[in-house]
Amino acid sequence: MIFASIDIGSNAIRLLFASIFENDDGVLSPVKTAFIRVPIRLGCDVFLTGKIDTAREKKLLKTLTAFKMLIDINDAVEYDAVATSAMREASNGAQIITKIEKELGICVRIVDGQEEARIIREAGEISANFSLPMTMFIDVGGGSTEISVQRNGHFVNAESFNLGTLRLLNKKVDPEEWTRLHDWLMQYENYFGEIECVGSGGNINKIAKLFGKNKIVKLKHLEKAHKELSEMSIKERMDAYNLRADRADVIVPASEIFLKILKTIQTNEIVVPKIGLADGLIVNMHKKHHQKNESLHEKR
């Protein structure tokens, strides 16, 4: 049974195909069958001009047309599509969403930061083993950073911050947002040094691959990554680490955001299970599909 998800992010548009298997104990295991990422960078328009320009809108529609064809060809049982920070802020975002549904038949939901954090957390819950009472899920994207907190497996709090890699690259981050992040983290001061961190997003995944070990990135490795990459030009990063251009420029600001958070909460490592919003959408669809089938079975 294959599910599909579309994540329309500020930096890239992603299509994920995956199946979810559940063992006798109810533990879910996702199996990804295909993943496609197209770096359209809607945020480059939105964070500078406040709207998505015509050229990028056309690229978005072409990409989603191809995604819809792939979903149909793969006979996905169900699919879900969401848009995040850039589309939330674009003055013509709602207009484009309406156009996508009318022309392509794809219903896209614009999710707020809280909902985005919740979806990502659900993916993280089935992808990491927690040994500490408090867990912090951190997702760094092109337009925003979402953080969710759990205590003993129960949701405590979540917040979204306008701190994203494209915003930093374009110098469109309000300094007060860094202060807001710091103040929000300080409410968990009693747990500092004893918070398990789970990181998501393409940049921390790449850092884990290049500098980490066994899906763990130590603080010292993150510091090393930030220092080495910061001292290189984008071209040098591409050559030295075999990075695409659209990864080589945003990986440094992403490491900056993760470093800020880890140092504030005095955590020495971050678990990187290679999950994201698209994975969370798959998990949500599986749960709803399972509940629907159980309900039908009970009625019989």
Side-chain angles (χ1 to χ4, degrees), residues 49-63:
T49 67
K51 64 180 294 185
I52 297 168
D53 72 16
T54 303
R56 228 176 284 266
E57 179 187 336
K58 287 180 179 178
K59 286 184 180 180
L60 172 62
L61 290 171
K62 286 181 179 179
T63 301

Side-chain angles (χ1 to χ4, degrees), residues 109-140:
R109 296 180 292 121
I110 300 179
V111 295
D112 61 23
Q114 292 279 339
E115 176 69 0
E116 186 177 354
R118 182 194 67 78
I119 296 169
I120 294 166
R121 185 178 68 252
E122 292 206 1
E125 286 174 352
I126 68 170
S127 303
N129 297 315
F130 309 119
S131 58
L132 296 174
M134 180 164 283
T135 305
M136 192 171 282
F137 298 90
I138 307 162
D139 183 79
V140 174

Side-chain angles (χ1 to χ4, degrees), residues 38-88:
V38 183
I40 293 180
R41 297 204 153 178
L42 300 177
C44 284
D45 292 337
V46 178
F47 305 143
L48 290 175
T49 67
K51 64 180 294 185
I52 297 168
D53 72 16
T54 303
R56 228 176 284 266
E57 179 187 336
K58 287 180 179 178
K59 286 184 180 180
L60 172 62
L61 290 171
K62 286 181 179 179
T63 301
L64 291 177
T65 298
F67 282 6
K68 183 62 164 58
M69 291 175 65
L70 288 171
I71 289 170
D72 292 341
I73 291 169
N74 282 276
D75 295 323
V77 173
E78 191 176 340
Y79 75 90
D80 195 7
V82 301
T84 57
S85 183
M87 198 69 79
R88 285 197 293 263

Side-chain angles (χ1 to χ4, degrees), residues 5-9 12-15 80-84 116 276-278 281:
S5 61
I6 297 173
D7 167 16
I8 303 174
I13 316 300
R14 304 167 185 86
L15 170 64
D80 195 7
V82 301
T84 57
E116 186 177 354
L277 182 63
L281 292 171

Side-chain angles (χ1 to χ4, degrees), residues 132-135 150-154:
L132 296 174
M134 180 164 283
T135 305
Q150 279 189 185
R151 186 185 297 118
N152 297 320
H154 299 286

Side-chain angles (χ1 to χ4, degrees), residues 11 37 41 202-203 206 243-251:
N11 192 31
R37 176 183 180 276
R41 297 204 153 178
N203 290 296
K206 182 60 69 174
L243 298 175
R244 299 186 309 270
D246 62 280
R247 179 66 67 207
D249 59 352
V250 293
I251 195 168

